[in-house]
Amino acid sequence: MARIEAKLAAMGLVLPQPLQMPASVRMSLPFAWVRVSGKRAFVSGHVPLCPDGTIAQPLGRVGAEVSPDEGYSAARLVALAQLASLQRALGDLDRITAWLRVFAMINVAPGFDQTPRIANGFSDLIVELFGTDVGTHARSAVGMVLPLGVPVECEAEVEID
């Protein structure tokens, strides 16, 4: 078993299946979840997923329907969703040599200004799995309205071998 997959298993974490859009949502998604170009992989915006690929609960705005702790947990689930897509695209997560950039978008209630705290759910997991040399990344964490009521969405860029 590869090193990162072994760490995930030791932590009891499961990579989810690809996103299963709710039956009520009728739209196509005409883009790649991961686009590899040279030594970089660009990861499209991912949302928090359950192991079966359905959108994880709770839904809503952080600071209103979703607590900061729930937002942090949702960001961890986003990291797992991205790792699952990267594993499918690359075949092996150990091919990642550097997490370069993460753009975290947080669905916030008016006045909620702790977006970095929520995005730490994503960053903390990546650094725990990959270590500081590979996992430390540049990051932005901004508040906005997000699709489907999800509390967090993140996109990323990684370097690969």
Side-chain angles (χ1 to χ4, degrees):
M1 181 182 292
R3 185 178 58 87
I4 297 300
E5 284 87 350
K7 280 187 175 182
L8 286 163
M11 295 169 68
L13 298 174
V14 176
L15 297 181
Q17 295 299 309
L19 172 66
Q20 301 298 312
M21 290 293 275
S24 62
V25 178
R26 300 240 190 264
M27 74 171 83
S28 64
L29 301 173
F31 58 86
W33 289 109
V34 175
R35 173 80 168 141
V36 175
S37 179
K39 291 189 170 276
R40 293 199 174 162
F42 300 87
V43 186
S44 293
H46 281 61
V47 300
L49 299 178
C50 296
D52 67 359
T54 58
I55 296 173
Q57 300 293 316
L59 297 177
R61 300 165 297 160
V62 179
E65 302 85 8
V66 177
S67 74
D69 287 344
E70 290 170 325
Y72 178 96
S73 295
R76 279 179 70 89
L77 292 177
V78 172
L80 291 173
Q82 283 198 6
L83 290 168
S85 289
L86 282 161
Q87 185 182 53
R88 285 188 288 276
L90 303 175
D92 183 356
L93 293 173
D94 290 338
R95 288 188 59 199
I96 298 170
T97 57
W99 282 81
L100 301 173
R101 183 184 69 83
V102 172
F103 181 59
M105 298 159 275
I106 317 301
N107 189 359
V108 295
F112 185 84
D113 63 358
Q114 299 176 41
T115 55
R117 175 181 172 194
I118 307 310
N120 284 350
F122 185 104
S123 297
D124 289 347
L125 180 58
I126 295 303
V127 171
E128 185 175 357
L129 287 168
F130 288 86
T132 55
D133 287 347
V134 174
T136 301
H137 48 270
R139 187 186 80 191
S140 297
V142 299
M144 61 180 62
V145 175
L146 293 175
L148 307 173
V150 297
V152 182
E153 178 178 350
C154 299
E155 63 180 42
E157 181 179 348
V158 298
E159 183 180 75
I160 57 174
D161 67 8

